[in-house]
Amino acid sequence: MSTAVETPEVPEQVIEAPSTVATKKNRRNQIIALGALAALGAVPIPFGDYGFFIGQYAAVYAMLGLSVTIVTGYAGLISLMPYTFAGLGAVMTGLIMTGWGWPFWLAAPMAALATLPVSLVVGMASVRLKTLYLAIATLTFSTALGETFFRWDLVTGGRIGWTVASPQLGPIDFGTDLNFYLLCLLVVLGLVWMTEGLRTSRLGRAMLAVRDNELEAQALGINVYKTKLAAFVLSGMMAGFGGAFLAVLLGNVSPGGYQSPVAEVTSILLVSLVVIGGIDRAWGAFFGAISLVVQSQVFQGARFFFPFFGMYSAFFLILFLLFRPGGLVQVSKITTELVKRRPVFGLAVVLVTVALNLGIAYIFIRAS
Amino acid sequence: MTLAINPIEVASFGISAGAVFGLLALGLVLIYRTTGVMNFGHWAIGLVAVVSYAWLTGEGMLPQAALPICLLLAMGAGVAAYRLVFKRIARSNQIIVILVAVGIAQFYSSLAALVLGFRPFTRLPPWLPMATLEVAGMRLRMSDVYTIGVGLAIAVGFFFWFRVSRSGQALRAVAQNREAAVLAGIDDVRYSSLAWAIGSGLAALALLIIMPHSAGQQGGLITTFDLTPLGTLLIPAFGAALVGGLVNLPMALVGGVFFGLTREFLVLAPAPWSELRTSVAAILIVVLLLLRTERFFATRQELEALEA
Amino acid sequence: MSILETKDLSITFGGISALDEVSINVEPGEIVGILGPNGAGKTTLFNVISGFLKSDQGKVILDGEEIQNLFPYERVAAGLARTFQHVKLFRNLTVYENLLVAQHRHLSSGSFAAMLRLPSWRKDEKLAKDLVEKMLDTINLRPWKDARPSELSYGTTRFLELASVLSLKPKILLLDEPASGIQQREVEALGPMLKGIRDETGCAIVLIEHDMGLLFSVSERVYALDFGRLIAEGTPDEVANDDRVLESYLGRTRRDSVA
Ligand SMILES: Nc1ncnc2c1ncn2[C@@H]1O[C@H](COP(=O)(O)OP(=O)(O)OP(=O)(O)O)[C@@H](O)[C@H]1O
Ligand SMILES: [Mg+2]
């Protein structure tokens, strides 16, 4: 009789058998995944500079997405300010490279470190709060920082911003689209590898434990507050580091680009892309970034459909949250399993899906 | 807008802004208490009403006639969000609930931008009288006076309805103890939908009070800046709701007025502070969060019910 | 010297006194039982000792140190471990991973060491895995090592929880109704197992249990609680025959049927 109150259970998150254990099998899985990602990275090459540009975008957004993976995927904290941290990193990069004349290779780690004071202050004030309150607090901080730091003339050089030169390494110039793309790809692969490594560690497992059950985590001797704060800080550093690449990608830094409402909108976009890609595993951010950036380019190519892109991505965010909370990572796992059990049927499904997608993309582009 | 020096003039701006925040907060709290969803899409659902208002009045409809239609549309948008999406999520899974709410926000704000055709701004004719009133040397905007009046009327009517009418009481029962209410034969989906309808209607009304009356005599504008999933005004609204610990309705209204007054009186502050409206609100919000205001307004049991 | 001592612990919830000047002490290596009717305050006592609740007054002394102001995780570090009346566990992690998480306090490498796979991380992971492997055999969980808690029988989750807290290498272990909801066969295995744990590790055990057979067979000393007050203390025989203890159970039954 009480069926009215029963809401359907959210499907259990699919996490591959011991993913937090550094076993041989796990290491092999990581290498396979990295190889697959690298192969995906080769896809833009035949498309020339345009392909590299999209690839750079996807790679940088994947770096920023990894910050969401750590804080929300691992530690279960919802932060609505990842893009603000990216902005901090980007502005620091502009300041260090253009203002002080330091090379990019120093500026990028400094950009990551520069997020520390902010993430510590915001984290200490809000990490103790429950999920909902944390979401409100980070949203508020994001807007407030847009109103203060990104307007603070001393830091920002009067709001005009700086142009950012492309990195240089000896004779190699990363100013060309191909070179910078390869650099971004390499870095994002490294960051995915690092984020996966975090999972199989004392702190990473503590984060997953805290997400699952705070009381049990405490009973097992885990300092919940410190663990959450660490997740928040690491996530901020990841976004700040990605922000350095964002600055180079955009070619300039204008603090206004990290104020309300752009900051909030992009933060939401980052959260969606990570959820769609798979919030549990590090490569989810990469999948999500590729799928979202490529699709937005397809939509952009089709002028008639472009206005629908916002609704389209929101729709998929909600669909994934309701039915596949593990994102594309979960989908690919289910598909692999299907192919293993029923090869012919499974491969047919994969082929039809790919063909359908290509067909739709073709129709979209032709329709404009 | 000239800088108002007279404190009573400033207070009138503040209270009218506060009434708007209060209406937004009232909707947030009502929906949260009844269904456990903190609606990050609140602003975006209100936008549904604003863009339909822009469209209908653009087609030549009388603003006062368009108003109720737009309110109904926003209510429909809210109920649809509940029935199609939030009803299907276990509310104990707060992470998913919040992410979905963010998705809903993105969906409706993109819809709004689409309807407006991505123009940088669209004119909104006023539906409240825009004259200025001179009383004892003070210049009061009629729209502020009406806003305060409308806010007050809604608040009184709402609380009266909530306490006295049958459906209001059923809604309170669902909010207080869902399980018991269901056992007592109350259809909780129906009343949750009602909460979403009212909450969304309040959001729509709040937005339709500010936006068409923001630019003086000609009415107002809706710009691309406004068409964001999480509007800037959502922050003082969250603050107002937090004054009542996210659960207390009258305190949410009081909180609205508090945030409205703070915001307007900041204008009188010396240079850097007068520009830091959101940052000051942010500091207030953090203080409220650390005070854990919910302690004062809800029992342990109620809070646990909201979480699980 | 006692390994655990509480002095006059009191706590009230909205005027109702859940603990009223409760003083107990546990010697090293001792197995102590706690009994009392529903709502007597047994779980509350554990919550206060382990730091999940703050008492209004009183002291908790672990191994000579006052710990009543420490956080729960600090009390774990000091050698105190507890289980919950309702099994908690990490639902999204496998049995093996649940046990890995429990090794937290024995590990020390930082996050960057793991991200860069430095030797300190490698050493830590090896240590953690060795400890888990040993525990899988100690508590007989090996067959389920890749299962998630939702795939286990209730009894097995109880044993997993026991394995988790044992992994903390505590000096004293608080078990809240370890036999509730598990099969009779498993209950019978539990008694010898607890004694075995005590004999092997030397850790003291405090046991809340409604299964009197189990409680009286493993405990060396028993405390009885009612309405938050200690009403009896002594050997199992003494407490089992105490008039006030019998009355507390009968009295409570009468009240419950009225309520
Ligand atoms: N956090 C709390 N807030 C309010 N009341 C509480 C809280 N924890 C326990 N109580 C109350 O304190 C009393 C003692 O509860 P407790 O859980 O300690 O009993 P118990 O002896 O463990 O009973 P059982 O055998 O049923 O587990 C009960 O009346 C309970 O309702
Ligand atoms: Mg109990």
Side-chain angles (χ1 to χ4, degrees):
Chain A
M1 63 154 287
S2 68
T3 44
V5 264
E6 276 169 24
T7 40
E9 272 289 317
V10 175
E12 284 271 338
Q13 256 146 339
V14 175
I15 301 174
E16 204 167 79
S19 66
T20 71
V21 193
T23 55
K24 276 215 185 68
K25 192 168 161 228
N26 197 0
R27 215 166 307 150
R28 208 191 54 208
N29 281 348
Q30 284 178 9
I31 291 171
I32 293 175
L34 285 180
L37 297 189
L40 265 179
V43 172
I45 292 176
F47 295 92
D49 282 354
Y50 182 60
F52 301 141
F53 177 72
I54 294 180
Q56 289 164 11
Y57 242 96
V60 169
Y61 270 70
M63 295 178 205
L64 304 183
L66 283 172
S67 79
V68 180
T69 307
I70 294 174
V71 78
T72 310
Y74 288 5
L77 304 166
I78 295 194
S79 160
L80 294 177
M81 60 185 302
Y83 198 65
T84 302
F85 283 119
L88 278 174
V91 168
M92 282 318 283
T93 308
L95 178 70
I96 294 171
M97 283 180 74
T98 314
W100 306 352
W102 291 18
F104 177 77
W105 315 109
L106 283 175
M110 296 266 298
L113 284 180
T115 62
L116 255 174
V118 178
S119 62
L120 271 176
V121 170
V122 175
M124 285 197 285
S126 47
V127 152
R128 245 182 250 274
L129 305 170
K130 272 168 289 171
T131 327
L132 168 62
Y133 302 117
L134 180 69
I136 295 178
T138 48
L139 173 68
T140 312
F141 274 115
S142 163
T143 312
L145 277 170
E147 202 180 60
T148 51
F149 182 81
F150 293 113
R151 270 192 183 178
W152 189 20
D153 293 352
L154 243 176
V155 179
T156 60
R159 283 195 80 182
I160 305 145
W162 306 273
T163 51
V164 175
S166 42
Q168 211 86 39
L169 188 67
I172 311 171
D173 176 13
F174 289 101
T176 71
D177 278 332
L178 175 62
N179 284 353
F180 187 60
Y181 171 58
L182 292 177
L183 175 67
C184 287
L185 185 64
L186 208 68
V187 168
V188 81
L189 289 179
L191 293 177
V192 167
W193 180 73
M194 285 170 71
T195 310
E196 266 304 302
L198 182 61
R199 246 185 124 74
T200 60
S201 74
R202 175 179 190 266
L203 184 66
R205 279 190 298 264
M207 289 176 191
L208 292 166
V210 166
R211 183 191 72 174
D212 239 15
N213 193 329
E214 276 188 32
L215 277 185
E216 175 82 359
Q218 269 181 312
L220 295 183
I222 292 170
N223 183 343
V224 171
Y225 174 64
K226 212 169 121 189
T227 306
K228 287 182 171 180
L229 192 58
F232 202 75
V233 165
L234 278 177
S235 147
M237 288 176 79
M238 185 65 84
F241 193 69
F245 287 82
L246 183 68
V248 175
L249 173 70
L250 298 176
N252 63 66
V253 181
S254 66
Y258 308 100
Q259 289 178 347
S260 183
V262 182
E264 288 88 347
V265 173
T266 320
S267 287
I268 291 178
L269 183 79
L270 287 171
V271 172
S272 342
L273 79 83
V274 175
V275 170
I276 290 175
I279 202 158
D280 268 335
R281 300 305 292 263
W283 33 84
F286 196 97
F287 285 163
I290 292 179
S291 86
L292 220 66
V293 170
V294 169
Q295 289 182 64
S296 86
Q297 289 302 317
V298 169
F299 270 79
Q300 215 147 46
R303 219 167 286 144
F304 173 72
F305 290 106
F306 184 56
F308 293 94
F309 185 66
M311 285 169 74
Y312 168 87
S313 60
F315 181 69
F316 271 90
L317 170 65
I318 295 167
L319 272 192
F320 268 99
L321 284 168
L322 285 181
F323 302 111
R324 289 283 178 273
L328 289 173
V329 169
Q330 187 186 1
V331 172
S332 67
K333 226 172 283 167
I334 293 172
T335 317
T336 321
E337 226 129 88
L338 183 68
V339 173
K340 263 189 210 153
R341 260 188 305 123
R342 302 172 57 187
V344 179
F345 178 67
L347 283 176
V349 168
V350 172
L351 280 179
V352 168
T353 315
V354 170
L356 262 179
N357 275 306
L358 289 178
I360 290 171
Y362 181 75
I363 293 169
F364 266 37
I365 292 174
R366 287 308 298 269
S368 56
Chain B
M1 190 176 72
T2 51
L3 196 78
I5 307 294
N6 188 317
I8 297 184
E9 285 179 23
V10 180
S12 81
F13 294 160
I15 296 174
S16 100
V20 170
F21 298 158
L23 290 181
L24 280 170
L26 209 56
L28 282 173
V29 170
L30 183 66
I31 291 174
Y32 181 62
R33 276 204 71 168
T34 334
T35 59
V37 176
M38 182 40 64
N39 187 14
F40 283 83
H42 206 53
W43 176 266
I45 287 174
L47 284 179
V48 171
V50 178
V51 295
S52 3
Y53 181 81
W55 189 71
L56 287 174
T57 52
E59 295 290 310
M61 197 183 242
L62 216 73
Q64 287 79 1
L67 183 75
I69 301 177
C70 301
L71 292 182
L72 280 176
L73 282 173
M75 290 163 119
V79 173
Y82 169 67
R83 291 244 169 173
L84 297 176
V85 184
F86 289 109
K87 190 160 72 83
R88 296 166 200 278
I89 314 169
R91 48 161 124 182
S92 57
N93 203 336
Q94 270 290 316
I95 301 180
I96 303 257
V97 172
I98 295 169
L99 291 176
V100 166
V102 167
I104 294 281
Q106 202 190 337
F107 185 83
Y108 280 127
S109 70
S110 316
L111 177 68
L114 183 70
V115 171
L116 282 192
F118 298 92
R119 270 170 295 168
F121 60 85
T122 307
R123 255 181 44 75
L124 298 169
W127 57 273
L128 289 171
M130 294 298 294
T132 36
L133 202 65
E134 299 237 6
V135 186
M138 286 179 304
R139 293 163 56 84
L140 300 180
R141 288 183 305 194
M142 276 310 280
S143 65
D144 282 334
V145 176
Y146 275 94
T147 303
I148 297 170
V150 168
L152 215 65
I154 296 244
V156 171
F158 180 74
F159 290 123
F160 193 70
W161 171 81
F162 204 50
R163 301 235 155 229
V164 176
S165 79
R166 264 182 70 92
S167 46
Q169 281 174 340
L171 197 63
R172 275 204 318 162
V174 173
Q176 254 151 20
N177 190 340
R178 216 154 97 112
E179 236 105 274
V182 171
L183 286 178
I186 295 174
D187 178 355
D188 84 313
V189 172
R190 199 175 124 210
Y191 283 99
S192 299
S193 305
L194 183 63
W196 273 87
I198 297 172
S200 307
L202 289 172
L205 185 65
L207 263 65
L208 280 174
I209 287 176
I210 353 163
M211 288 193 183
H213 307 101
S214 54
Q217 300 292 332
Q218 298 77 34
L221 299 173
I222 177 165
T223 64
T224 42
F225 188 89
D226 298 317
L227 287 172
T228 63
L230 312 166
T232 326
L233 291 190
L234 212 47
I235 285 172
F238 278 135
L242 279 169
V243 170
L246 298 184
V247 290
N248 188 291
L249 293 163
M251 283 312 278
L253 269 184
V254 173
V257 174
F258 170 66
F259 273 83
L261 284 173
T262 314
R263 180 187 157 96
E264 293 305 323
F265 273 99
L266 265 182
V267 177
L268 301 182
W273 294 102
S274 55
E275 298 222 340
L276 299 182
R277 294 173 161 188
T278 315
S279 307
V280 170
I283 293 166
L284 289 174
I285 284 179
V286 170
V287 171
L288 287 170
L289 285 171
L290 294 179
L291 281 177
R292 296 200 299 121
T293 40
E294 71 271 19
R295 286 181 301 169
F296 308 126
F297 300 107
T299 61
R300 245 176 67 92
Q301 239 177 351
E302 283 174 319
L303 291 177
E304 268 166 17
L306 274 176
E307 271 158 40
Chain C
M1 187 179 57
S2 310
I3 182 78
L4 176 76
E5 210 182 326
T6 70
K7 279 194 181 150
D8 300 333
L9 288 179
S10 299
I11 187 169
T12 57
F13 294 118
I16 297 165
S17 155
L19 286 182
D20 189 2
E21 305 205 323
V22 174
S23 304
I24 66 168
N25 75 301
V26 181
E27 299 303 317
E30 195 182 15
I31 300 185
V32 172
I34 293 184
L35 61 75
N38 292 117
K42 306 180 295 293
T43 301
T44 306
L45 179 62
F46 272 15
N47 283 342
V48 168
I49 295 176
S50 57
F52 286 83
L53 276 177
K54 274 243 171 311
S55 61
D56 301 335
Q57 68 162 63
K59 285 180 186 164
V60 182
I61 298 163
L62 182 75
D63 215 2
E65 305 274 338
E66 284 188 20
I67 60 166
Q68 68 270 14
N69 293 322
L70 299 187
F71 288 111
Y73 72 91
E74 291 172 321
R75 300 188 196 200
V76 172
L80 183 94
R82 60 98 37 109
T83 63
F84 293 96
Q85 184 168 352
H86 303 284
V87 180
K88 301 249 186 279
L89 298 174
F90 305 114
R91 287 185 310 121
N92 288 314
L93 301 181
T94 63
V95 168
Y96 197 93
E97 291 173 300
N98 265 281
L99 291 176
L100 268 183
V101 172
Q103 310 304 329
H104 189 79
R105 62 174 292 228
H106 307 304
L107 310 180
S108 56
S109 67
S111 47
F112 284 100
M115 287 173 141
L116 301 172
R117 320 291 201 275
L118 298 182
S120 66
W121 165 80
R122 218 172 282 269
K123 229 175 68 195
D124 247 13
E125 287 305 288
K126 184 164 178 333
L127 171 68
K129 281 192 283 186
D130 288 348
L131 289 170
V132 171
E133 292 289 338
K134 240 193 267 161
M135 191 52 71
L136 283 175
D137 291 328
T138 314
I139 308 289
N140 285 328
L141 284 168
R142 192 169 287 285
W144 295 280
K145 98 182 161 57
D146 286 330
R148 265 168 249 285
S150 56
E151 299 160 304
L152 305 177
S153 74
Y154 193 73
T156 314
T157 60
R158 281 245 176 252
F159 283 108
L160 174 55
E161 198 178 35
L162 187 60
S164 292
V165 288
L166 273 181
S167 300
L168 303 172
K169 304 218 161 98
K171 294 181 207 157
I172 179 165
L173 190 55
L174 314 180
L175 301 177
D176 198 346
E177 300 193 22
S180 84
I182 74 177
Q183 292 167 12
Q184 193 51 40
R185 193 167 43 79
E186 293 170 319
V187 176
E188 279 156 19
L190 197 60
M193 185 180 244
L194 293 182
K195 280 192 166 152
I197 289 168
R198 190 268 311 269
D199 293 342
E200 229 160 86
T201 64
C203 98
I205 295 177
V206 184
L207 183 71
I208 294 177
E209 197 41 79
H210 282 299
D211 186 314
M212 296 302 163
L214 176 67
L215 188 84
F216 288 130
S217 69
V218 296
S219 307
E220 285 141 9
R221 219 146 46 79
V222 176
Y223 287 99
L225 270 178
D226 192 23
F227 290 118
R229 236 183 316 234
L230 275 184
I231 53 169
E233 185 217 328
T235 63
D237 276 345
E238 286 164 9
V239 173
N241 295 317
D242 189 296
D243 285 346
R244 291 211 291 170
V245 173
L246 292 174
E247 204 178 299
S248 78
Y249 275 87
L250 294 173
R252 185 58 60 94
T253 315
R254 206 170 49 241
R255 249 195 317 279
D256 277 354
S257 57
V258 172

